Amino acid sequence: WSPSGNPTLRFHLKGRTRLALFHRGNNTMKITGIVIFKNEAQYFLKESLQSFARLCDEIIAVDTGSVDNSSEIAQNSSPKVKVVYHKQSSDKNKQYGDIKNWAVKNFATGDYVFSFDADEVLDDDYFQIRKQLEDRPDIECWSIKGRHYYWHLNKEDNQVAEHWWHCRLFKNNSIITYPAGKAHGLPSGFKTHAHLVGFFVHHYGYCKNVCADIWRYTMNWDALEIQTPEYLNEWLRMRLAGTFPVKEVSLDVHPQIIKDKFHFSMLVK
């Protein structure tokens, strides 16, 4: 117990003893966000970091080799963001687990680690997460429910009834780690696990096309050469909602070079 009467946990991390306080109604519990990114400047990187910065006390943003201005955007998104660099040996993303372990070991100072992707945005009810952690300090690892959007902002993946991001939030105790050599490996080493109550993660990885729509909208709005404001607003609304009038055509109409690009030969007819 601490001198103030609050329960404490003493453990060793990175060669030093850390003293972590857990008690309700106080922000002594610290959360570190970990995100890996590369060339995400034109998509959701800024929104992702700003949304998670509302919950996290610090964010370690790992740039694995961007050639755009992703690092600048990340660093300017919030004072809580620290950009670090770690090159990947290949483009297969098989080092994700290794890189996350490296970032946690060398930079994370929080009592908890929240791992997220650069195309994920934290819900506005984020504050409920901290309360659930405070209420259950015995839980070492948490899975998080969210929404997985497809192509348009009003279209949600319906392949499964609920979308869970497994083991994304866990205690920073040097025991819980990611497997090496995997892109989507889950951390292990925890003794207790639970599910957060609520929807907290919004995944926009398959909605990057709408970022191009915003770019087109802005460019045409600035010019207004052939479109009216009314037309552009309606165009954007239909693009975001997936209601733009189209007709279905056969995949066979496309040139062979396009069929090869999208692996048509591998599709089941």
Side-chain angles (χ1 to χ4, degrees), residues 243-258:
T243 58
F244 198 87
V246 297
K247 65 179 181 180
E248 187 171 341
V249 298
S250 170
L251 295 179
D252 292 332
V253 305
H254 296 282
Q256 187 61 46
I257 195 170
I258 295 299

Side-chain angles (χ1 to χ4, degrees), residues 66-185:
S66 297
V67 295
D68 59 8
N69 64 330
S70 290
S71 287
E72 181 182 354
I73 288 175
Q75 194 64 70
N76 293 333
S77 64
S78 168
K80 295 181 178 180
V81 173
K82 176 182 177 66
V83 177
V84 297
Y85 301 89
H86 192 295
K87 282 284 188 179
Q88 289 180 257
S89 60
S90 71
D91 293 328
K92 301 298 183 182
N93 296 336
K94 293 296 186 180
Q95 289 182 291
Y96 266 25
D98 307 82
I99 295 173
K100 287 180 180 179
N101 290 335
W102 170 81
V104 172
K105 179 180 179 181
N106 290 283
F107 302 104
T109 65
D111 304 297
Y112 287 85
V113 172
F114 197 155
S115 176
F116 63 96
D117 292 342
D119 53 17
E120 296 170 352
V121 174
L122 196 61
D123 192 79
D124 292 336
D125 288 336
Y126 65 91
F127 55 88
Q128 295 181 13
I129 295 176
R130 187 178 290 272
K131 183 179 186 303
Q132 293 183 57
L133 297 183
E134 292 172 340
D135 288 343
R136 293 296 306 275
D138 57 309
I139 301 300
E140 294 185 347
C141 184
W142 294 84
S143 291
I144 303 167
K145 187 161 58 172
R147 302 187 184 278
H148 183 54
Y149 303 101
Y150 249 89
W151 312 131
H152 302 285
L153 299 186
N154 66 337
K155 301 292 191 298
E156 187 176 355
D157 184 355
N158 197 34
Q159 294 183 88
V160 296
E162 295 181 335
H163 289 277
W164 286 94
W165 280 253
H166 294 290
C167 305
R168 285 293 197 92
L169 180 58
F170 52 86
K171 285 190 176 180
N172 182 17
N173 59 10
S174 77
I175 299 174
I176 303 173
T177 58
Y178 284 91
K182 291 185 179 293
H184 297 99

Side-chain angles (χ1 to χ4, degrees), residues 18 26 36 62-64 68 104 109 112 153 207 213 229 259 264:
R18 289 190 54 209
N26 200 316
I36 298 173
V62 186
D63 188 339
T64 58
D68 59 8
V104 172
T109 65
Y112 287 85
L153 299 186
C207 291
D213 291 334
K259 294 178 182 178
F264 277 24

Side-chain angles (χ1 to χ4, degrees), residues 167-235:
C167 305
R168 285 293 197 92
L169 180 58
F170 52 86
K171 285 190 176 180
N172 182 17
N173 59 10
S174 77
I175 299 174
I176 303 173
T177 58
Y178 284 91
K182 291 185 179 293
H184 297 99
L186 298 178
S188 62
F190 52 87
K191 295 180 179 179
T192 53
H193 171 266
H195 292 76
L196 288 173
V197 177
F199 286 89
F200 294 113
V201 177
H202 297 262
H203 178 234
Y204 296 100
Y206 292 99
C207 291
K208 291 182 176 180
N209 56 298
V210 300
C211 293
D213 291 334
I214 287 293
W215 176 82
R216 294 188 183 98
Y217 172 85
T218 303
M219 292 291 291
N220 283 296
W221 185 275
D222 291 341
L224 287 180
E225 293 177 344
I226 60 175
Q227 296 97 352
T228 64
E230 293 76 18
Y231 172 86
L232 286 175
N233 287 334
E234 179 63 11
W235 177 87

